[in-house]
Amino acid sequence: AATTTGDITVQTSTSAVSDSGDLSVQTGSSKTGGGEITITSGSASSGRGGAISMTVGKSDLGAGSDITMAAGASADAAGGEISITGGASDTKVTGAVTVETAAGVAGSLDSGDMTLRTGATTATSASSSGDMSVLSGDSKSTAGSVSITSGSSSGARGGAISMTVGKSDLGAGSD
């Protein structure tokens, strides 16, 4: 009996002299609702479910290319959300979520910066920019800690930690 089902590979041809071809997967436009795109790997009853990997190819000359995820905009309602959640577990620890820039390797410069911020609303005076929260989950046992730590340095200064409340041009400043 076969142990695996057949693989399916969809790819454009390689090129030694120019760009390889683009690959687009999209649903059509609609008056009432555009079609959805679902990417799901297979489940397994006695092993690990299939992984999903999204990787941009390495660039030998020039900057590496980007991965961009953008939720849908709306003309008359709230924009779409982006949610990234670690996997649930029936009996063990749920999956972790790690967001990090790549470590520097020999011959490279700094590791990349990381920015977490809500969008600005400077184009209108009628709305506030979004709040940002850093919190650990509630627990019946020991709740998770929140730790803010700057990097150590073996040859120069360790990273600083700075907390600044934004300036208010009208009204009292926040605490």
Side-chain angles (χ1 to χ4, degrees):
T3 56
T4 61
T5 60
D7 298 329
I8 296 177
T9 302
V10 179
Q11 68 179 48
T12 61
S13 296
T14 58
S15 173
V17 295
S18 183
D19 295 343
S20 63
D22 296 330
L23 179 63
S24 297
V25 178
Q26 64 184 48
T27 62
S29 299
S30 169
K31 183 177 181 180
T32 57
E36 298 180 358
I37 294 178
T38 301
I39 301 175
T40 306
S41 65
S43 302
S45 59
S46 61
R48 299 183 66 177
I52 295 176
S53 177
M54 185 168 51
T55 306
V56 174
K58 182 179 178 181
S59 176
D60 289 333
L61 291 173
S65 292
D66 304 325
I67 291 179
T68 301
M69 285 194 304
S74 172
D76 65 349
E81 299 179 356
I82 293 179
S83 177
I84 301 175
T85 306
S89 172
D90 293 339
T91 58
K92 302 294 184 181
V93 177
T94 60
V97 175
T98 301
V99 180
E100 64 179 343
T101 62
V105 297
S108 68
L109 299 176
D110 303 340
S111 65
D113 297 330
M114 180 176 292
T115 301
L116 297 176
R117 68 177 170 211
T118 61
T121 56
T122 55
T124 175
S125 60
S127 57
S128 302
S129 63
D131 298 326
M132 179 175 291
S133 300
V134 179
L135 52 98
S136 63
D138 297 334
S139 174
K140 289 184 177 180
S141 180
T142 302
S145 302
V146 173
S147 176
I148 300 176
T149 306
S150 64
S152 301
S153 173
S154 59
R157 297 177 61 181
I161 294 178
S162 175
M163 298 179 67
T164 305
V165 174
K167 178 184 175 183
S168 176
D169 290 331
L170 292 173
S174 295
D175 299 329

